[in-house]
Amino acid sequence: MTPTQSTQIPDSELFAYPHLYRKIAGALQYLSITRPDIAFAANQICQYMHAPTNYHFQLLKRLLRYIKGSLDYGLPISPGNLSLRTYEEADWASDSSDRKSVSGFCTYLGNTLISWSVKKQTTVAKSSTEAEYRSLSAAVSDVLWLRRLVQELQLPQSSPTTIYCDNTSAINCSGKKSYFSRSHQTY
């Protein structure tokens, strides 16, 4: 499923077996824990569990066919360097129905993916910088938690965790304590 593909088809009929749709969609959501390659598509499919249409069921079957052809995919665990690094991204106003942005980040311990998230932001961002800044903030929160976890697992991090962000304005905002004047507070 492409990120820009619209999943809302207004003149599509309701799917005749919504219970079946919900059952399969729920199983796909569970599977996405170990298959991050299907996480976005599973999330999109799950957004229509309350009233799935025939079009949504076609998307669900398409995802099942992809899974059948990629059974060997998964999360590889490899030995090596044990330093944390994170990549974050945001897609500004990507949902045309509500104009909300989608945030995503993933964190590696060495070469092994250990944490990831893709979520629609709760409010509408007024700019791509704001959307990226929110995504960066969520990634930092996750990194702080992960650093505490790996410390408990006796894998101390001797250097700061690198967080990769491709938005120069969001990077600049993250270094300023009172950038957002809307709240009139210093952070």
Side-chain angles (χ1 to χ4, degrees):
M1 179 178 289
T2 61
T4 57
Q5 180 176 347
S6 175
T7 52
Q8 285 190 322
I9 303 297
D11 38 343
S12 184
E13 279 184 40
L14 289 177
F15 182 57
Y17 306 101
H19 179 70
L20 174 65
Y21 183 92
R22 290 182 194 106
K23 185 176 178 181
I24 296 171
L28 289 173
Q29 191 172 29
Y30 181 74
L31 179 62
S32 71
I33 293 170
T34 58
R35 293 283 306 264
D37 58 321
I38 68 164
F40 177 80
N43 178 279
Q44 290 292 310
I45 286 167
C46 287
Q47 289 185 20
Y48 298 95
M49 287 177 33
H50 63 286
T53 64
N54 289 331
Y55 175 73
H56 297 124
F57 189 66
Q58 294 301 318
L59 293 176
L60 186 139
K61 289 195 310 186
R62 183 178 187 184
L63 181 55
L64 290 174
R65 286 190 295 273
Y66 169 78
I67 292 168
K68 182 179 179 184
S70 61
L71 292 176
D72 294 334
Y73 289 11
L75 294 175
I77 298 174
S78 56
N81 179 3
L82 294 177
S83 63
L84 288 170
R85 73 181 187 287
T86 298
Y87 299 86
E88 80 68 38
E89 182 59 60
D91 191 3
W92 180 47
S94 60
D95 190 335
S96 60
S97 63
D98 62 7
R99 306 309 295 165
K100 291 184 180 175
S101 305
V102 175
S103 293
F105 59 85
C106 60
T107 302
Y108 289 83
L109 182 63
N111 293 326
T112 303
L113 180 64
I114 61 166
S115 176
W116 64 92
S117 174
V118 177
K119 291 182 181 178
K120 187 184 289 188
Q121 293 180 0
T122 55
T123 57
V124 176
K126 293 184 178 181
S127 67
S128 61
T129 299
E130 186 177 347
E132 288 276 352
Y133 185 82
R134 289 179 185 172
S135 181
L136 189 56
S137 174
V140 168
S141 295
D142 191 62
V143 164
L144 291 173
W145 183 84
L146 285 169
R147 286 182 66 89
R148 287 187 197 111
L149 177 64
V150 297
Q151 181 72 30
E152 286 183 28
L153 297 172
Q154 302 193 9
L155 299 170
Q157 300 295 299
S158 59
S159 60
T161 301
T162 304
I163 301 176
Y164 296 93
C165 176
D166 64 353
N167 188 297
T168 306
S169 297
I171 294 168
N172 290 337
C173 293
S174 66
K176 296 180 182 177
K177 291 184 178 182
S178 60
Y179 179 77
F180 291 104
S181 61
R182 282 191 266 170
S183 62
H184 302 291
Q185 294 178 351
T186 304
Y187 296 102

